[in-house]
Amino acid sequence: MTTPNQERLLEVASLAKAFGGNRVLQDVNFSIGAGEIVGLLGPNGSGKSTLLNTITGFEAIDNGAVRYRGQEIGRLGAHRIVERGIARTFQLPSMPSMMSVMEVAMAAATTRHGLWETLCNGAGVRGAEAAARDKATRLLHELLLTHVRDLPASALSGGQKKLLGIVCALMGDPQMVMLDEPTAGVHPNLRNDIVQALKRLNRQGMTLVIVEHDMHFIREVCTRCIVLDRGHIVASCHPDELSSNERVLQAYLGGGAHQQAMAGEAAQ
Ligand SMILES: Nc1ncnc2c1ncn2[C@@H]1O[C@H](COP(=O)(O)OP(=O)(O)O)[C@@H](O)[C@H]1O
Ligand SMILES: [Mg+2]
């Protein structure tokens, strides 16, 4: 499950996570190379979000190791992991009603750099605020949110909240972003904007890991896929190889109607 030709950015080894008696992730091993766009697939409940949560420090891991640039990060808290350069978005982003879109984006700038670093770098609070405003302005433009920048963040559509989630992730200048279903429930026009934005970020050198169900998206965007089934990784392959991979088909056909529909799409 490795990428031998690229610098290994992220390595996950023997990762395990349970909630009570529910063993959600078991002996998960894979690595992500610098510059890859990897799709993370699997039926509902297979552990995709939990895998993102454990890697990004939102859930504690029970066993195993997570290394980023060769350093162990598996027991660091979420804010420390952001500082190392891994950002994330959420499957169902919730946004505050008392902050504007611009304010939410600017607040995300301090998540990585922190107030102390801001004060120590000579720019002072005012300079840092100006820099955050400039960056937020640029990213809101790139993610097509300029026209809603002064609205309460909670007033955005589901798709726009996903775009704002990407803006927030990018405010800390990460090297890797992990996205949880960035296009689920998103209007087709916005979906295409998200696809283009992710491709552009990757061309600029960003490494991306994307949880996604949409096979068209996977084929269009991803260079490799990792497939989870009931907490185990069952495949790591090119998107074109998914439809002929027995273990992938079994993962989807083993489930209910939704999974069968997915398998049908995978086979197209
Ligand atoms: N915080 C939690 N507490 C208890 N169980 C959880 C928690 N988060 C996820 N789970 C369980 O872990 C399993 C995998 O969930 P999840 O990672 O969300 O799957 P996926 O993202 O692949 O749909 C499910 O059985 C879910 O109920
Ligand atoms: Mg999920």
Side-chain angles (χ1 to χ4, degrees):
M1 308 282 177
T2 59
T3 48
N5 298 327
Q6 286 156 302
E7 179 204 350
R8 279 191 200 177
L9 206 53
L10 181 78
E11 288 179 85
V12 173
S14 308
L15 185 104
K17 174 71 184 173
F19 293 106
N22 185 5
R23 295 165 70 187
V24 175
L25 298 171
Q26 299 180 59
D27 195 26
V28 171
N29 297 281
F30 66 92
S31 64
I32 304 289
E36 279 198 285
I37 309 189
V38 176
L40 178 57
L41 285 80
N44 284 334
S46 56
K48 303 179 298 296
S49 293
T50 303
L51 183 54
L52 255 58
N53 290 341
T54 50
I55 292 171
T56 55
F58 284 81
E59 294 281 2
I61 65 174
D62 294 340
N63 274 304
V66 181
R67 283 182 287 275
Y68 185 66
R69 295 184 175 279
Q71 294 191 328
E72 176 63 44
I73 60 165
R75 268 126 192 121
L76 297 182
H79 62 295
R80 294 279 171 236
I81 292 173
V82 172
E83 284 170 3
R84 298 291 176 101
I86 305 178
R88 66 161 303 168
T89 68
F90 291 87
Q91 188 170 342
L92 298 170
S94 67
M95 294 293 170
S97 57
M98 302 296 279
M99 290 171 80
S100 71
V101 168
M102 181 58 136
E103 286 166 341
V104 167
M106 286 179 65
T110 53
T111 312
R112 175 155 185 205
H113 296 298
L115 184 60
W116 183 244
E117 191 185 328
T118 301
L119 291 172
C120 291
N121 74 7
V125 174
R126 286 241 172 82
E129 191 183 323
R133 185 174 296 279
D134 286 351
K135 193 190 288 184
T137 301
R138 176 175 57 79
L139 289 172
L140 290 173
H141 174 72
E142 284 177 20
L143 277 300
L144 303 154
L145 292 171
T146 301
H147 62 297
V148 292
R149 53 183 276 171
D150 297 322
L151 291 183
S154 59
L156 298 183
S157 71
Q160 288 172 324
K161 284 180 185 164
K162 298 221 170 192
L163 287 170
L164 181 54
I166 297 173
V167 168
C168 290
L170 298 177
M171 283 298 290
D173 301 321
Q175 293 109 37
M176 173 183 279
V177 182
M178 310 190 93
L179 301 106
D180 202 347
E181 303 202 19
T183 70
V186 171
H187 187 278
N189 292 346
L190 269 187
R191 177 197 169 279
N192 190 46
D193 294 334
I194 292 175
V195 166
Q196 298 311 325
L198 295 177
K199 284 182 161 181
R200 193 167 58 240
L201 286 168
N202 182 251
R203 279 199 300 275
Q204 292 164 2
M206 184 92 61
T207 304
L208 301 171
V209 178
I210 308 172
V211 174
E212 186 57 60
H213 284 298
D214 179 351
M215 288 310 299
H216 300 290
F217 176 100
I218 296 281
R219 285 204 196 89
E220 203 177 337
V221 175
C222 300
T223 48
R224 184 164 67 100
C225 295
I226 293 173
V227 184
L228 266 179
D229 183 24
R230 286 165 287 179
H232 295 274
I233 292 196
V234 294
S236 167
C237 63
H238 189 273
D240 291 343
E241 293 162 6
L242 285 171
S243 56
S244 57
N245 187 309
E246 279 300 318
R247 295 191 72 187
V248 174
L249 294 177
Q250 185 54 42
Y252 283 103
L253 290 169
H258 171 73
Q259 277 81 351
Q260 296 200 20
M262 279 287 300
E265 262 202 84
Q268 279 170 23

